[in-house]
Amino acid sequence: LQLDSSMMTIRRDLDHLESQGLVKRIHGGVILAQKINNDSLQPSFHQRVEECKHEKQRIGKEAVKRIKPGDIVFFDAGTTTLSMVDYIPDNLEFTAITTGLLTAIALIKKSNVNIVTIGGNIHKSSYSAVNYMAVEMVNKFHANIAFISTKAFSMPWGTFEAQINLIEVKKAMVKSSEQVILLADHSKFNSKSLSQSISLSDIDEII
């Protein structure tokens, strides 16, 4: 070996580096944690709520204007979609379907909103329902609008996610909705993440 080290020593060193969150083991080698958008160091959901908070609030306030009385609306589990809840008028009656536990809890204070929660395994960093059970449940509904958040957005591809298990649920929401509205603050643009999620052609509006 060029490094004059045994395979056992190299594996032990790589195991230590991975346990420190500095590298990620892949088939045939390793990559730096920074190369996967610092996913191993990703802030908690509550920390992400505070990132670009005022911008998210303006986005949420504008997005609520798209909801009409009687609509059926998908909310994904993003922090920007969560920001919409505070701006929902108390007298607005509609049905909200969400994969986000915190979004569902926030919606409870809106007495005229019928809330449907999507079940499944809970993705811990986003408090979101995922896996095939969540996808199957989403597929049973038909919505007027889906509000979708994202990890990254880049032309001409569309949105990207760092966590693969979030993608299928988002795709199911898009497929089951008449209109898809992407909510994204400025930090999400002109960047990519691990895997493409929603194609640009499937997005009707970006706020």
Side-chain angles (χ1 to χ4, degrees):
L1 295 172
Q2 291 183 352
L3 299 178
D4 195 28
S5 298
S6 70
M7 290 301 296
M8 183 175 293
T9 298
I10 291 173
R11 288 194 182 99
R12 186 167 56 246
D13 289 344
L14 291 177
D15 287 341
H16 175 72
L17 290 171
E18 186 173 36
S19 71
Q20 299 298 309
L22 298 175
V23 300
K24 176 71 175 177
R25 298 287 289 273
I26 60 173
H27 181 69
V30 296
I31 57 176
L32 291 174
Q34 290 86 346
K35 294 297 184 181
I36 52 174
N37 291 306
N38 291 321
D39 292 339
S40 61
L41 306 176
Q42 183 168 311
S44 71
F45 186 90
H46 296 288
Q47 288 173 314
R48 297 198 303 275
V49 166
E50 297 300 319
E51 294 175 351
C52 302
K53 183 174 182 178
H54 297 302
E55 190 174 346
K56 290 176 180 178
Q57 289 172 339
R58 293 196 298 271
I59 292 169
K61 185 176 183 179
E62 181 63 28
V64 165
K65 297 176 183 177
R66 277 42 174 192
I67 303 175
K68 299 180 179 63
D71 273 352
I72 300 170
V73 181
F74 278 124
F75 292 81
D76 80 356
T79 58
T80 312
T81 47
L82 176 61
S83 71
M84 294 177 61
V85 176
D86 285 340
Y87 301 100
I88 296 173
D90 291 334
N91 63 347
L92 180 59
E93 296 184 18
F94 70 98
T95 295
I97 308 171
T98 184
T99 55
L101 294 181
L102 298 185
T103 302
I105 291 170
L107 284 164
I108 289 173
K109 63 184 178 182
K110 302 296 180 178
S111 58
N112 286 311
V113 178
N114 177 38
I115 307 163
V116 178
T117 58
I118 299 298
N121 287 108
I122 300 302
H123 182 254
K124 293 183 179 179
S125 70
S126 64
Y127 299 98
S128 175
V130 295
N131 80 4
Y132 74 94
M133 289 186 292
V135 171
E136 287 184 359
M137 191 169 179
V138 168
N139 287 337
K140 295 180 183 296
F141 297 102
H142 176 81
N144 300 99
I145 308 172
F147 290 104
I148 303 295
S149 60
T150 187
K151 171 74 173 179
F153 177 87
S154 186
M155 297 282 283
W157 298 277
T159 70
F160 292 79
E161 294 298 331
Q163 305 290 331
I164 296 294
N165 50 3
L166 296 176
I167 293 176
E168 291 305 315
V169 178
K170 288 178 184 280
K171 285 186 174 181
M173 286 184 174
V174 168
K175 184 179 178 181
S176 299
S177 301
E178 296 176 9
Q179 184 181 18
V180 176
I181 300 178
L182 174 66
L183 308 182
D185 65 73
H186 79 279
S187 67
K188 307 300 176 63
F189 289 89
N190 299 317
S191 62
K192 299 177 184 176
S193 193
L194 180 63
S195 182
Q196 186 175 354
S197 178
I198 307 302
S199 298
L200 181 64
S201 60
D202 288 326
I203 299 170
D204 297 295
E205 183 180 1
I206 300 173
I207 304 176

